[in-house]
Amino acid sequence: MVCPYSQAVQRSPRMQRSTPRIPSFEQSLNQTGLAQRQPIERNAPLARLYEDALHYEPGTAISSTGALIARSGAKTGRSPRDKRVAEEASTVDDVWWGPVNKKLSEESFAVNAQTALDYLNTRDRLYVFDGFAGWDTRYRIKVRVVCARAYHALFMNNMLIRPTADELADFGEPDFTIVNAGQFPANRFTKGMTSPTSVAISFERRQMVILGTEYAGEMKKGVFTVMHYLMPKAGVLSLHSSCNEGPKGDVSLFFGLSGTGKTTLSADPARKLIGDDEHVWTDTGVFNIEGGCYAKAVDLSAEKEPEIFNAIRFGSVLENVIYNGESRVVDYSDTSITENTRCAYPIEYIPNSKVPCVGGSPQNIILLTCDAFGVLPPVAKLTPAQAMYHFISGYTAKIAGTEEGV
């Protein structure tokens, strides 16, 4: 079975004719609504993104190990209270509406989308990154990111699966587009808005629109939200977990919210890393959704987490960290900007990563509850019934700094 977007393409009468012509990049970009008056860098080289970030984005620097240090502005974590899903006829019965999945009218989504495009059309330069979500090609979707910050383009270059030159040439129209105009606020008078920040998804339009936050993690989480919606429809299970594989092919899953230890525990030098955060479990095994890792950097050290520490080099992105102005050495213990200091890097920067990032059916399942209230013992071996109960209940404590207001 393949993902619903792929099925929709296969059912299209246009696809049933002789081999279709793949639209050019410019033609596919027209569907986004961009005026395309300014230079648009598509899948730009890392060095070019570094140059632009250093030149045009205040607060940007290069660390002593070669990573790009960036500032995300006022927002240093995700804004779940400002997240919305468009209420549309095709999806209204498939979303669990409530305090997490808040409704936004189609009209308000259209207003926000036009606001984002109007802002991007005023920029002197734009960046596009075309990549994939999902290492299993049966379920993979094509994702396009449109943004005005080189930092955002580099971040998604790390977090999505990077296409080969041939795959990029044949990319065609994306299955989903992220329109990131986070430097510009949402209009609070638009119906459904409660602040200048808006992170909204329309499954019918296949778009995610970001306003009022420059925190790059919103894009990563947006892709995961899309996969959470699509994968169950394709008969497979999307998982908020890390994953690694032992010498004998034994696969382990580590479930947990952001900041509970998934990245740290999965980066085991004795096991191959499949992924640190987002996976899908199919009838044949598991696959990683992402092309990179997004690690918490607070108190990071070469002694405690050598694999992650050594992954912070040219091409990686460090967010909201403090560094020495002369040496550019990062002080990972300094949380004066935020508790949620982060680093994004391609998964191949971990020496023992497994690429392609796929594995067999999991044999070990570990639930990282991060129990801050002493409800559970430090370590507990669960029966199958207990494991199912705790998986469904999802008991955990949220970690400071990961989200705004926590």
Side-chain angles (χ1 to χ4, degrees), residues 370-401:
C370 194
D371 176 20
F373 305 103
V375 174
L376 299 174
V379 179
K381 185 176 181 180
L382 305 179
T383 66
Q386 290 172 325
M388 287 187 284
Y389 170 81
H390 284 287
F391 174 77
I392 295 297
S393 66
Y395 173 73
T396 189
K398 291 187 177 181
I399 305 303

Side-chain angles (χ1 to χ4, degrees), residues 11 19 59 95 162 214 234 265 303 327:
R11 287 195 300 267
T19 305
V95 177
R162 293 156 290 284
E214 298 175 61
L265 292 171
E303 294 72 31
S327 67

